[in-house]
Each structure stands twice: as C-alpha cells, then as structure tokens.
Amino acid sequence: MRVVLAEDLYLLRDGMVLLLQSHGFEIVAAVDNGPALLSALLEHRPDVAVVDVRLPPSFTDEGLQAALAARREVPGLPVLVLSQHVEQLYARELLADGTGAVGYLLKDRVFNAEQFIDAVRRVAGGGTVMDPSVIAKLVARPTPQSGTLTPREREVLTLMAEGRSNAAIGKQLYLSESAVGKHIASIFGKLNLPVSDDDNRRVLAVLAHLQGTGS
C-alpha cells in the first residue's frame, strides 16, 4: 500500500515512516510543507495520504488545504489528517464532499501503533475515521432532533460516527447485532435521516447533521 506522508517535525516524520514501513506500507514520498505535499499527491496518487494539518509556509491549515486541493483533482483520494488539537472545522471541511475515504485523528493517536495503523488502513479502504474526541464534541452539541435520543442511542450514535460496524458496536456495548440495528433504525428515524446499509454513507449523514450545530 503506497503512502504519501506530510509532517514538518523531522523526528515525528521519521518515526511514522518507520512505523508504517514495519506494517508493510510503502512510503512513496515524505514531505515537510504544503506545496511539496500537493505536488507529491498529484504525482504519486497514493493509496492513502497521512497529513499534518499545520505545515509550512503558513503553519495554519496548509496541510489540510493541500490535501483538499488534491482531492478536487483526484476525487476520493484517501486522506488521514493529523491535528494537535480538536478543530471541528477541519472535520467539516474533510467531510464536505461526502465521498468518504477521510480520517481525522489527534496526533497523540500516532503513539498507539495499533490504533494509528488501523485508521490508516480503514481510510485507505474508503472508510471514514473520526477521532473520538471530535465525535464527543459533535454529539455533545445536540440538534433539536438529537435531543430526543436515549442515552443508549447516543452511545450507538457516537460509535457509528467513529466508523464502527454494527458488529463492532455490539461487541463494545454488549449488544446483539439485531439490537444494534434496532437502535440505529430508531436513531435515523429521530434524526429524520434515511436508513442505509452503507456504513460510510450513514456515518457521513449523521456527522453532516450534527455539524449543523456549528463549531
């Protein structure tokens, strides 16, 4: 699996390169600034990009904007964004085109190798991966409809928004898959969202709805 990596801190960049390589990934480019990232993404069209939000020259959201620009040229290009802090705006921008194959993690997650590698693979496979801290903030700001959810439904919603399958949700909450399915049907009914068997689309729909509460 081919990866383009963007991180301006040399030690962290080198560490991620070694970690990804140890799990069978091929690093086709490792860059430290926004323009170089955009160039590498368009040249290599990797299976997945792992991108720090803040890169030179602006140190604002240079990495994110380069990744979004590449996705406009290469629709559906898988991008996993890393950020030092929770910024709901980043999540909204990543999800805006509704095509999935995106992820947003706090940088701290990199130090949990299993969690980080799982996120890279899920994004490369077309899934949506959102950091639990981001989801917690989104779910904590309810819309009028989401205020009618039961505590259990909110737990299920949070795990759905993290991209978990029905089986994974059931395992974590000690529920059968059929019980999870009933909770999801109830959630979609209360949020006025269409039921879908496409995990990625349902997650994007839920997140898009919750993001309507603002940042």
Side-chain angles (χ1 to χ4, degrees):
M1 193 176 295
R2 301 163 62 253
V3 179
V4 165
L5 175 66
E7 167 58 56
D8 65 301
L9 296 176
Y10 170 75
L11 290 177
L12 182 55
R13 184 173 68 251
D14 194 48
M16 285 195 288
V17 165
L18 293 174
L19 175 61
L20 288 164
Q21 288 177 332
S22 72
H23 284 80
F25 294 91
E26 176 190 357
I27 310 301
V28 295
V31 302
D32 64 358
N33 64 82
L37 169 61
L38 179 56
S39 177
L41 291 175
L42 295 180
E43 176 185 353
H44 296 288
R45 303 197 175 203
D47 297 305
V48 63
V50 179
V51 177
D52 183 13
V53 166
R54 298 180 186 273
L55 291 175
S58 69
F59 286 104
T60 53
D61 61 351
E62 193 87 12
L64 174 64
Q65 294 308 320
L68 293 176
R71 277 174 65 91
R72 288 192 288 272
E73 294 293 324
V74 186
L77 178 71
V79 174
L80 174 62
V81 166
L82 304 176
S83 176
Q84 195 70 42
H85 307 288
V86 174
E87 293 286 352
Q88 293 181 49
L89 176 60
Y90 298 157
R92 287 200 297 274
E93 290 194 69
L94 276 172
L95 294 165
D97 65 8
T99 59
V102 293
Y104 175 30
L105 291 182
L106 293 181
K107 274 191 172 181
D108 288 350
R109 309 293 178 190
V110 174
F111 299 104
N112 182 325
E114 182 179 354
Q115 186 177 46
F116 174 59
I117 295 300
D118 176 63
V120 174
R121 287 181 172 145
R122 285 166 57 197
V123 170
T128 301
V129 177
M130 303 303 290
D131 194 283
S133 298
V134 178
I135 300 306
K137 281 200 170 186
L138 291 172
V139 175
R141 296 171 65 91
T143 62
Q145 296 98 322
S146 65
T148 65
L149 299 181
T150 67
R152 177 61 86 185
E153 287 169 348
R154 293 179 72 83
E155 288 179 323
V156 171
L157 175 63
T158 298
L159 293 171
M160 283 172 58
E162 290 176 22
R164 304 299 174 184
S165 66
N166 286 12
I169 293 171
K171 183 176 180 180
Q172 184 153 337
L173 298 181
Y174 302 100
L175 297 172
S176 66
E177 285 194 54
S178 63
V180 172
K182 290 177 182 177
H183 283 304
I184 291 173
S186 176
I187 289 166
F188 272 71
K190 291 178 180 180
L191 296 182
N192 296 319
L193 294 169
V195 176
S196 171
D197 291 330
D198 185 321
D199 287 339
N200 193 54
R201 286 182 180 177
R202 76 184 188 186
V203 170
L204 293 175
V206 171
L207 286 172
H209 182 84
L210 292 174
Q211 286 163 17
T213 62
S215 59

